[in-house]
Amino acid sequence: MPRRTAILISGRGSNMAALIDAAQRPSYPAEIALVLSNRPDAAGLAYAESAGIETAVLASKGYLSREAFDKALHARLNEANIELVCLAGFMRVLTKTFVEAWRDRLINIHPSLLPLFPGLDTHARAISAGVRIHGCTVHFVRAEVDQGPIIAQAAVPLLSADTEETLAARVLAAEHRIYPLALNLVAAGKAHVVDERVVIDDARTERAGEAVVSPEFE
Ligand code: GRF
């Protein structure tokens, strides 16, 4: 049985769309059972609805505290019998209690090669730092923001002519490739956390996910 998975969004939802599309393949080990947004105007909600997926809005403005919001979120996920949760542009810091309740069942995508550039404005910071290689990371979530065992990463070149926008677009294309790959590994039970590092069951599966490079350079 595919694992019942929720995607949490706050906006555009392009990673959400990539996960929805991947999960439509019959052999995919996860089923997107719920898309939940903390903002009623998140553009991604319309795509999820058009794909026939249950959607929910939990407006963060309506809650007095972070704890109260996370408690309602936890209840909503349980009500939908959710087993795995993917954060996809979900612009909220989650409480330690929530993160611990979903330990090793909660994953996030971040637009940098972690542990480099946690936090916001990753593309501008990569350009200022003068790095030649930039990228994205899918990781299990821990209470510290943008930390946690790494499941998959993709590298893209940073070119001299890059602006924040051109770099963001190149990284985003890579995000859309590795997020479905990472969820596949987790949902199939092939990615295990051992001593706060991810161990992938078999070498062939692991090689399939390594060092994805920007499409135009393949
Ligand atoms: C992505 O760059 C993701 O890495 C970051 O927020 C952005 C969300 O974009 N966490 P989208 O909503 O998936 O299009």
Side-chain angles (χ1 to χ4, degrees), residues 11-16 88-91 108-111 123 172 175-176:
R12 178 176 60 179
S14 71
N15 279 291
M16 172 213 72
F90 187 63
M91 300 303 286
N108 180 45
I109 186 148
H110 182 74
H123 307 308
L172 194 65
E175 292 183 37
H176 296 163

Side-chain angles (χ1 to χ4, degrees), residues 6-209:
I7 306 175
L8 309 190
I9 63 168
S10 298
R12 178 176 60 179
S14 71
N15 279 291
M16 172 213 72
L19 292 171
I20 289 174
D21 294 351
Q24 273 163 0
R25 289 204 310 271
S27 60
Y28 199 78
E31 168 201 349
I32 309 306
L34 178 69
V35 167
L36 185 146
S37 172
N38 67 317
R39 291 195 191 143
D41 58 351
L45 288 170
Y47 187 92
E49 274 160 24
S50 71
I53 291 164
E54 186 183 337
T55 61
V57 173
L58 214 56
S60 27
K61 278 190 178 150
Y63 292 85
L64 290 179
S65 67
R66 202 167 281 289
E67 285 71 23
F69 177 84
D70 283 8
K71 210 172 158 192
L73 177 61
H74 184 68
R76 187 67 185 78
L77 295 171
N78 282 334
E79 188 189 309
N81 295 315
I82 296 302
E83 299 167 88
L84 298 173
V85 178
C86 295
L87 306 180
F90 187 63
M91 300 303 286
R92 278 187 70 85
V93 176
L94 294 160
T95 55
K96 191 163 191 247
T97 309
F98 181 92
V99 171
E100 285 306 319
W102 290 90
R103 193 179 177 89
D104 298 344
R105 299 185 298 146
L106 174 63
I107 67 182
N108 180 45
I109 186 148
H110 182 74
S112 79
L113 288 173
L114 290 173
L116 277 178
F117 311 126
L120 298 173
D121 300 323
T122 56
H123 307 308
R125 287 157 65 206
I127 292 171
S128 312
V131 297
R132 293 282 177 198
I133 303 281
H134 186 41
C136 49
T137 303
V138 182
H139 64 98
F140 285 110
V141 175
R142 294 292 182 259
E144 303 77 28
V145 173
D146 299 329
Q147 281 191 38
I150 293 170
I151 304 159
Q153 288 186 306
V156 305
L158 198 164
L159 305 176
S160 305
D162 267 327
T163 62
E164 208 178 321
E165 288 70 34
T166 59
L167 184 57
R170 190 177 308 119
V171 172
L172 194 65
E175 292 183 37
H176 296 163
R177 294 172 62 179
I178 62 164
Y179 212 170
L181 181 111
L183 177 59
N184 192 333
L185 289 173
V186 172
K190 290 178 177 166
H192 308 280
V193 180
V194 180
D195 294 335
E196 284 300 88
R197 292 171 59 195
V198 171
V199 175
I200 309 285
D201 266 353
D202 67 278
R204 240 181 97 223
T205 311
E206 186 161 31
R207 296 303 290 261

